[in-house]
């Protein structure tokens, strides 16, 4: 394990275009030596994560507006759902606000693309999790030409302004691209086909999307290049190895929560007087 | 442990008024022998609970509208928050919709009391959790006389109709009253006072509410009597022992999910054909 913060190691530098074809999706940068060590290290983060979360929530009861928003993006089968289950599962569920974004509803299509996003933001003290996000509007929208190219091109700047305003309002935005390989996706889709209990997760549309792999990789590279900002950086997490993915996302959350450094607020009452009153009951 | 389902043991019979003063809040009806066994038994339910939850969610993707709603009520410090943390923490957070109800906002007060409740209901396939609920409108509202008595008296029937309509729409409503003792509440409030990290959970208003203990117990007895229906029964869970409380609520959820008996839906595609298409990519 490296002493360098993981967020520095995985961060997409501002203005730089990552070459996803050159980032090994099975790599484990900065991570534990193997699966056993990785799982243990992730489990060991459960307590500090839950403790920081409780402080974050407690601070909000005294007016602290800070909160965290984890944005999860990645190709089909990249493990967005698994990350929520295994990483967000380490937290107290009552402080988590999870939103999964599907294809926009007719009502959502009537509004600007950030409308449904704004409605799902975490409140002060909460940890918000987006399983897909406003980035779909520059990913599938670009690849599938769901809007004129000029409109899509305008969205990157809109996203940057939006995320900057979030940061100014106390939201630590942690954007994670779960990077899996083309071969690994095939294996995972085949595994779904081979297990009837997983058929509900499979759709023939998944194969159609897979055929557009190069276009998606390009759209991701563009989004990572244009929208990795100081206010809201992107992190590329190699995700072929699930144990590394879970460890890395946990670690990124831990580093960000430690940076926030929330503190329990003091009480606004006289402890001795309250004690006496209680003991008299 | 008894072979009789816990739901039968803890259920408030329809039309019967429970005498809370005669139900020992430190009892462990139907439960494991002690704390160690209780914790182990709760942990052992994590896998079946998560598995049933996944099936419930999977079934909803094929049109099954069934879902579960856990309603948690109880005096201050009775462990509503702790139950969410320890019991709901056993589930996949992405399928849980947790709503904590505080004093109604001005906007909420403009609407009928069930308005904010309906907005927070679990969607098909989800597990909804209410930390406090529409019952506050016949509990604190009754004790604190927040509305004319005649209007409050009309709410029990409104609640019963509402919950019946939920049941008809596929919602399994599990209403749990966390029953703690007067002495135990004092001890828990004192513990909060004695730990500065817990001061944010404490308010002098808690002592004022405690002074109304008998009125609250009466309001609870009335609500349990009038609103324990076949469609949506009330369960009284003795809650002085946290390990029993967690075990009992987990067990109640397990029994209800087993009764629902959700199944993975079959796929609507040709597995062989999809396999061939995938292997060609």
């Amino acid at each position: 394990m490296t002493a360098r913060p993981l967020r520095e190691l995985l961060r997409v530098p501002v203005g730089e275009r990552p070459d996803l074809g050159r980032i090994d999706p099975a790599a484990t940068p900065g991570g534990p030596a193997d699966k056993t060590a990785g799982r243990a290290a992730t489990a060991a983060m459960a307590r500090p994560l839950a403790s920081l979360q409780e402080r974050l929530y407690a601070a909000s009861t005294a007016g602290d507006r800070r909160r965290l928003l984890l944005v999860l993006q990645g190709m089909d089968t990249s493990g967005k759902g698994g990350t929520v289950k295994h990483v967000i599962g380490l937290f107290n569920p009552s402080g988590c606000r999870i939103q999964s974004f599907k294809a926009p509803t007719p009502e959502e299509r009537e509004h600007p693309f950030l409308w449904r996003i704004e409605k799902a933001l975490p409140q002060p003290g909460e940890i918000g999790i987006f399983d897909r996000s406003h980035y779909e509007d520059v990913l599938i929208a670009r690849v599938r030409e769901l809007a004129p190219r000029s409109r899509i091109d305008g969205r990157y700047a809109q996203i940057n302004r939006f995320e900057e305003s979030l940061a100014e309002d106390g939201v630590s935005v942690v954007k994670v691209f779960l990077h899996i390989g083309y071969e690994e996706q095939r294996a995972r889709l085949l595994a779904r086909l081979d297990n009837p209990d997983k058929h509900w997760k499979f759709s023939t549309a998944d194969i159609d999307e897979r055929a557009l792999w190069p276009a998606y990789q390009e759209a991701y590279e563009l989004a990572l290049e244009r929208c990795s900002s100081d206010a809201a950086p992107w992190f590329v997490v190699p995700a072929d190895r699930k144990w590394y993915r879970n460890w890395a996302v946990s670690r990124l959350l831990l580093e960000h929560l430690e940076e926030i450094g929330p503190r329990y607020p003091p009480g606004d009452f006289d402890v001795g007087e309250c004690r006496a009153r209680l003991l008299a009951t």
Side-chain angles (χ1 to χ4, degrees), chain A residues 34-222:
Chain A
D34 58 21
K35 188 198 269 196
T36 307
R39 286 184 169 179
T42 303
M45 279 187 269
R47 193 180 286 262
L49 284 172
S51 166
L52 283 159
Q53 178 196 18
E54 183 172 277
R55 283 163 200 256
L56 187 70
Y57 183 79
S60 77
T61 66
D64 193 331
R65 291 187 59 77
R66 291 179 300 170
R67 55 209 119 146
L68 191 147
L69 173 61
L70 173 67
V71 172
L72 290 172
Q73 287 286 164
M75 301 293 289
D76 281 340
T77 76
S78 62
K80 300 180 290 295
T83 303
V84 173
K85 182 173 170 181
H86 294 286
V87 178
I88 303 308
L90 303 174
F91 290 94
N92 181 339
S94 70
C96 298
R97 184 176 297 249
I98 304 170
Q99 183 69 46
S100 173
F101 292 98
K102 318 275 183 198
T105 63
E107 191 196 10
E108 288 169 349
R109 262 194 291 268
E110 296 280 319
H111 291 84
F113 75 103
L114 291 173
W115 179 74
R116 63 175 184 162
I117 304 298
E118 282 163 347
K119 288 201 305 172
L121 290 171
Q123 299 299 299
E126 289 185 338
I127 293 177
I129 300 96
F130 285 176
D131 177 344
R132 302 187 186 274
S133 68
H134 42 300
Y135 281 93
E136 292 298 316
D137 294 283
V138 293
L139 293 166
I140 189 171
R142 186 177 192 93
V143 172
R144 291 284 188 183
E145 299 179 350
L146 303 180
R149 177 60 65 97
S150 63
R151 198 194 302 165
I152 291 173
D153 278 334
R155 286 177 179 166
Y156 300 94
Q158 284 177 274
I159 289 176
N160 286 335
R161 281 196 300 274
F162 169 65
E163 292 178 350
E164 199 171 331
S165 73
L166 291 183
E168 281 165 8
D169 196 26
V171 185
S172 296
V173 186
V174 182
K175 300 183 297 193
V176 169
F177 170 59
L178 298 176
H179 177 47
I180 56 161
Y182 187 67
E183 309 295 313
E184 179 68 15
Q185 189 194 52
R186 185 198 296 115
R188 291 186 184 186
L189 287 172
L190 284 171
R192 286 183 182 178
L193 275 178
D194 291 344
N195 181 351
D197 286 357
K198 301 213 164 168
H199 281 183
W200 66 281
K201 289 190 180 186
F202 186 89
S203 153
T204 52
D206 297 344
I207 311 180
D208 304 332
E209 287 295 288
R210 176 171 167 78
L212 299 169
W213 185 276
Y216 272 106
Q217 297 294 301
E218 198 191 332
Y220 267 110
E221 288 180 356
L222 216 52

